[in-house]
Amino acid sequence: MINKRTGRSALRKISSAVAACMMVTFCGCNAEPGTAVTSESSKPAPATEATTTTVETTAAEITETSEIPETVTGDPETIRKYVEEMVVDYGSYGEDADGKIDELLSKLSSEDTDAGIRWTTIMDLWRSEDLGQPLNYDVLPDGLPDTDELCIVVLGFQLNPDGSMKDELINRLNVAYNSAVKYPDSYIVCTGGGTASGNASATEAGMMASWLIDQGIDAKRVIVEDDSLTTAQNAIYTYDILTSDYPSVKYIAIVSSDYHIATGELLFSAEAVLRSGVPGEEKLKVISNASWDAPSGYLSPMFQAGALIELSGDMTTAFDIYYDNYDIHELPPIN
């Protein structure tokens, strides 16, 4: 039986009525006691000189620790504005905006310590030349965990109107199959919702899962995430499923078309950073990729900016960017 769990972030879901249109653009198409009762006999003895010294030392340590700057928690609207300006600047101007990005990260950190740490991590990844590199074609590389700590995440692609899969999605699945055979103890997540304009019952993830099982992959390994309509939602809902139901999974390998890998790595890594209990202690880490050598296809930095804004929770601005309705011309020039 295929493992299936739907995403629970209702505010982040999009109406299926516009699924087909969105998936063309968003999925890389060409286009987270009680206190023990102590008995009387086990109560601690009166403090001796030695224990008193220990208490005094501890108190001194506490005093020293209290000198650490207090964590600052800021206004959510101010944080949102800093984040939006930062990612749009980088999406628009690239490395020419580095000085402005660093300035905004400093302001964000002053406003909210936690947000500053998280978004510094995300922006460092986005600006890194190592994002999505190296690309591994056809199959995952050697040296990955050969255990159920590894999960292969296959990113979807818009279905044909009748619900059948397009060649690009089948090519991605061939790469996923090769990788699943190479790492037989890994899980495989198939992602993608309903994008068949003439078949409301068909989902990308459902069709993908059936294909893999038909090729001989054990159904117990296959996980279906069929609510997402954007790559950002792929990351959101997959995180929900893996952290809730598959605690053994620690590492993710992204499978998609080559032009889509960097975006997938950015968004899945960013979601883990934003959802971690403590910055720097993410529950999931993207460690590799396998890609199909697509003859064409492109995802712009502004698309990535919109997707990061979607992860931050601002759906309206994200979709303005996706549909090219976001007015970037009012931004000040980057000198």
Side-chain angles (χ1 to χ4, degrees):
M1 180 176 181
I2 300 172
N3 300 299
K4 181 182 184 295
R5 177 169 180 150
T6 58
R8 299 157 303 177
S9 304
L11 293 178
R12 297 187 181 188
K13 294 179 69 176
I14 311 301
S15 169
S16 60
V18 293
C21 176
M22 289 188 294
M23 291 304 291
V24 173
T25 307
F26 309 153
C27 289
C29 306
N30 294 346
E32 190 199 335
T35 302
V37 177
T38 305
S39 68
E40 190 70 26
S41 61
S42 64
K43 288 182 179 179
T48 64
E49 183 177 351
T51 58
T52 302
T53 301
T54 302
V55 171
E56 289 174 351
T57 301
T58 304
E61 292 171 349
I62 293 172
T63 300
E64 182 179 347
T65 303
S66 67
E67 295 174 1
I68 297 174
E70 198 173 310
T71 299
V72 180
T73 302
D75 171 57
E77 183 62 18
T78 302
I79 295 170
R80 183 195 66 78
K81 289 180 179 178
Y82 283 147
V83 169
E84 180 179 323
E85 182 177 358
M86 181 168 57
V87 299
V88 170
D89 276 343
Y90 189 70
S92 303
Y93 302 111
E95 63 183 13
D96 290 339
D98 279 347
K100 183 66 176 300
I101 301 307
D102 292 338
E103 177 186 339
L104 287 166
L105 284 171
S106 179
K107 290 181 178 180
L108 180 59
S109 296
S110 297
E111 178 71 23
D112 189 290
T113 308
D114 184 88
I117 294 172
R118 295 178 195 273
W119 281 100
T120 295
T121 301
I122 293 168
M123 292 306 299
D124 284 350
L125 173 62
W126 195 13
R127 294 190 285 177
S128 171
E129 294 181 355
D130 296 330
L131 180 63
Q133 297 297 321
L135 282 170
N136 303 291
Y137 285 96
D138 302 323
V139 66
L140 287 173
D142 297 341
L144 303 185
D146 195 10
T147 67
D148 62 2
E149 290 183 312
L150 178 65
C151 184
I152 301 167
V153 177
V154 197
L155 303 182
F157 193 90
Q158 185 188 20
L159 299 173
N160 288 310
D162 64 358
S164 60
M165 294 187 294
K166 295 182 179 180
D167 288 344
E168 180 152 354
L169 185 51
I170 295 173
N171 281 309
R172 293 183 186 184
L173 285 171
N174 281 318
V175 177
Y177 173 80
N178 294 338
S179 300
V181 170
K182 184 172 183 176
Y183 291 97
D185 292 318
S186 64
Y187 286 107
I188 308 99
V189 172
C190 299
T191 67
T195 59
S197 60
N199 186 347
S201 65
T203 66
E204 294 173 12
M207 296 298 294
M208 295 158 69
S210 295
W211 187 95
L212 287 169
I213 293 168
D214 287 345
Q215 304 308 308
I217 300 300
D218 189 341
K220 293 179 181 178
R221 299 173 61 193
V222 181
I223 303 167
V224 172
E225 183 287 288
D226 58 4
D227 285 327
S228 58
L229 298 174
T230 67
T231 308
Q233 289 182 3
N234 291 163
I236 292 166
Y237 297 147
T238 298
Y239 186 96
D240 283 344
I241 293 170
L242 293 181
T243 58
S244 296
D245 299 340
Y246 298 88
S248 67
V249 175
K250 308 298 181 187
Y251 306 108
I252 287 175
I254 303 290
V255 171
S256 191
S257 303
D258 49 6
Y259 64 86
H260 197 205
I261 292 293
T263 298
E265 179 178 328
L266 174 64
L267 298 182
F268 276 76
S269 296
E271 181 67 8
V273 169
L274 292 172
R275 299 276 287 273
S276 64
V278 178
E281 298 183 8
E282 289 74 41
K283 292 183 178 180
L284 298 173
K285 182 178 181 180
V286 180
I287 60 170
S288 192
N289 67 74
S291 61
W292 173 60
D293 188 1
S296 63
Y298 174 72
L299 291 176
S300 73
M302 272 303 289
F303 169 87
Q304 294 172 330
L308 287 174
I309 290 173
E310 185 179 355
L311 289 187
S312 76
D314 185 353
M315 298 291 293
T316 301
T317 301
F319 277 82
D320 278 347
I321 291 174
Y322 292 149
Y323 287 121
D324 294 327
N325 294 325
Y326 188 89
D327 186 3
I328 66 172
H329 304 292
E330 294 182 2
L331 289 173
I334 301 295
N335 298 320

